[in-house]
Structure formats: structure tokens, C-alpha cells
Amino acid sequence: MRRASLGVLAAVILLASSAQAADNAAGKEKAEICAGCHGDNGISQTENIPSLAGQLDQYIQWQLVFFRAGARKNEQMQPIVEQLSNEDIRNLGAYFASLTPFKGGKDDNPDLSEKGKQAAAGRRCASCHGDSFAGTKAVARIAGQREEYLVRALHDYKSGVRSGGAQAAMADVAYPLSDEEITALAHYLSHL
């Protein structure tokens, strides 16, 4: 717990000092290790692995700090993020934010998307993620994200398994969602 608290403090310092210019070229070089899971140019081709292209700079930075501090856990991420400096994190955030995000593919189930759109409106998703679901500041871009990843993330928030940033707000949103609503919401968002 103490390590996680220190990690969050480090995140505050990191973000406060982000006035330093990030180096996209250094971020691109550091991101080579990320491509194995998150895909070339940050577009994931791997099930349950999120795309990072077009994700907001602050969001990427916060999540990397949460992983590094142990506040957010993932067996594959831990050994990688332990090696990242604050400068690496700033550069990675800037690099992934500069990439063109995946534009949702052809919607093969418009009726399911309509149900997802209604769920998004009912849970007020746009109030944090923005009207286009492209995220804001340290809030994730969810438009065009991998569908199965969104399903898993919503289930993890609902069950309390996911930690590290926005946990309380997302748990409050996800808890009342039925499995059908989660499926519809993920389908809708992934095709935006």
C-alpha cells in the first residue's frame, strides 16, 4: 500500500513536471518493446490487449505510473514498467498520443450498437470520456478500442478487480450494468 501511495505521489510530481518537452523520437524508440503486445503504431491485434494509438498523453502517463507503483497490476506490464524513468513515461505518453487512433471497423450488428448507445447515454459515459468518447486529459479514449478488452475492463471494474485511477467512478458506473449491457456498450464503443 505504501509503495502504491508513493507511486501516486510520483505521478503527481511527474505530471506537474510534464512542462518539459517530451521527445516523440525517444518515445517511439522506447515503444518498440510495446509493439509486441499493443501492436505496430499502437493498434493492437491481440485479443484483450488495448490499443494505445491516440490515447491521451496524461492517461498513458498515469497508467504507466500506476503499473510501476504496483497500484495497477499486470504480470506482463510489471517487469517492463519497472525499468521506465519518469522521462521515459513522458515520452511514451507523448508518442502514443501522437499516433492516429484506430477508427472502429464496419459495424456488423447495428441493433447491438443501438443498445450500447442507449447504455452509454444512461450511464452518462460522455460526461467523463467526452461526447466522441475520445477521452479528456487523464480519462481514457474508449472510441475504437478493442471490443473484448472493453468487455473485460467493464467486468473488472464491476467486480472491483481493476484498480489504479478512476476505480470508484468506474465501479459506480459498471456495477449496475447487466452482462447484456456490457456486451452492447463494448460493441458500440469499439465501432465508433
Side-chain angles (χ1 to χ4, degrees), residues 72-165:
R72 186 166 174 202
K73 305 211 180 299
N74 180 286
E75 290 179 15
Q76 289 77 33
M77 288 293 295
Q78 271 3 101
I80 295 167
V81 295
E82 288 173 352
Q83 308 302 314
L84 296 178
S85 68
N86 288 348
E87 182 178 0
D88 292 334
I89 289 173
R90 274 192 298 277
N91 293 340
L92 284 165
Y95 170 69
F96 284 117
S98 75
L99 298 176
T100 302
F102 179 73
K103 304 290 187 224
K106 181 174 173 15
D107 190 348
D108 58 346
N109 192 340
D111 291 337
L112 187 60
S113 284
E114 184 57 35
K115 290 177 184 172
K117 184 177 182 178
Q118 291 170 4
R123 299 310 308 160
R124 300 179 321 279
C125 299
S127 64
C128 293
H129 293 279
D131 291 338
S132 64
F133 303 101
T136 59
K137 298 185 182 179
V139 177
R141 170 188 190 80
I142 52 177
Q145 188 54 268
R146 292 188 60 87
E147 187 170 347
E148 78 287 342
Y149 174 77
L150 291 171
V151 168
R152 189 184 83 204
L154 286 167
H155 279 291
D156 287 351
Y157 279 121
K158 180 176 179 157
S159 67
V161 171
R162 178 127 176 210
S163 60

